[in-house]
Amino acid sequence: MKAKVHVMLKDGVLDPQGEAVRHALKGLGFGGVQGVRQGKVIELDLEDGTSEATIEEMCRKLLANTVIESYRIEVL
Amino acid sequence: MRAAVLVFPGSNCDRDLATAFRAAGFETEMVWHKETSLPDRVDLVGVPGGFSYGDYLRCGAIAANSPICRALKDHAERGGFVFGPCNGFQILAETGLLPGALLRNAGLKYICRTVGLKVATTDSVFTGAYAEGEEIQIPIAHHDGNYFADADTLDRLEGEDRVAFRYSDNPNGSARDIAGILSENRRVLGMMPHPERAADAGHGGTDGQRLFAHLTEALATA
């Protein structure tokens, strides 16, 4: 089985990289972009039957830093 | 007095830190990240600067989960002393030994220069040699030094007098100009600047030297 973990900076945490991307888009003429948040996607190739609780634990222990990031698990 | 300096793949200030510890009088051993225990009777553990594990995933995240960091946590929980500059601070934040996290610099650039730091508290074995409010010159060299914590945590740090150093002119967007913080028991210090790079006349500055010299004195009587 496969799962995708989406990790994003929490709302309220400044994302300077997202801001830089927004400025670059504006420079290309995409003036309508009001905000950009940049995150990451982690693809996991898992043993069949791995529980969502186990994936949660992976997120809490390593994949996301919950002080600054939120995560969303997508089991494929 | 005995010190240990942890070494991760990608550490690059481990020898600088060991040199500063030794110059201050610590018998110092290097400890590889795959070890599961620290040398016996270690008083102080240095978590060095660098780019542990290539900063993969998040700065310090993989190092914080390495075998030696289990022993580091036990050492800190027993009341042992820990000093983590730069990547060391990022690792200490990732282990949860210090609150908050280090984000990408607000200006997005890697910054390598000497900055002014204000000593925010003298109530620790690390900062006791300085005068409160004194400005010292210490180099920084980081891309992810923008200290972040929620408002409650920041209020608590300030209320408990746990901000060790503040930037005189904030280079990286850190909340409330924070450059370094102490643990609740005041025995763990994490800071983005590098006192070990200002600890010898050959470095071009010696403001960091007093931190190490005072550590030796304070630990000898602790």
Side-chain angles (χ1 to χ4, degrees), chain B residues 99 147 153-163 181-182:
Chain B
Y147 183 70
T153 305
L154 294 169
D155 289 345
R156 188 159 49 82
L157 286 171
E158 289 179 338
E160 294 172 358
D161 190 30
R162 286 166 55 192
V163 177
I181 55 168
L182 295 159

Side-chain angles (χ1 to χ4, degrees), chain B residues 5 7 36 46 53 65 73 75 77 93 107 109 121 132 135 195 222:
Chain B
V5 173
V7 185
T36 52
Y53 299 90
N65 290 288
K73 280 189 210 169
H75 168 81
E77 279 157 16
K109 289 205 166 62
T121 180
E132 192 148 336
E135 187 177 286

